[in-house]
């Protein structure tokens, strides 16, 4: 299910995690050459992606909302 990004936080490994409108969290790593999301490394890029849609597998699975840790 496509869900909009509403915010971000960093996890304990300093990886960026997107907070989605549905209440789930999803990692948005930049880990080239496998995962290319250079926008996540800059403040401007992250701001531009507020409202962008990510495919939320947790919604597809009917998972309960993630607790927002930060
Ligand atoms: Zn979700």
């Amino acid at each position: 299910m496509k869900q909009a990004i509403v915010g971000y936080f960093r996890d304990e490994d300093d990886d960026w995690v997107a907070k989605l409108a549905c209440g789930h969290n999803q990692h948005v790593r930049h880990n080239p050459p496998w995962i290319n999301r250079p926008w996540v490394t800059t403040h401007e890029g992250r701001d531009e992606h507020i409202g962008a849609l990510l495919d939320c597998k947790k919604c597809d699975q009917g998972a309960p909302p993630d607790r927002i840790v930060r």
Side-chain angles (χ1 to χ4, degrees):
M1 193 180 294
K2 298 278 188 193
Q3 296 290 351
I5 297 174
V6 296
Y8 307 90
F9 63 91
R10 298 183 101 157
D11 72 5
E12 59 274 12
D13 297 320
D14 253 11
D15 284 323
W16 284 101
V17 181
K19 294 191 283 190
L20 302 177
C22 57
H24 292 130
N25 301 331
Q26 186 173 130
H27 273 102
V28 281
R29 292 190 180 92
H30 178 51
N31 186 22
W34 300 279
I35 306 171
N36 279 292
R37 288 198 189 95
W39 57 267
V40 84
T41 62
T42 66
H43 187 74
E44 291 77 14
R46 290 190 299 278
D47 273 359
E48 283 172 7
H49 281 76
I50 294 285
L53 299 178
L54 288 180
D55 205 17
C56 185
K57 300 223 173 4
K58 293 175 184 174
C59 276
D60 294 340
Q61 295 162 358
D66 289 317
R67 202 179 318 170
I68 292 170
V69 290
R70 238 167 277 179

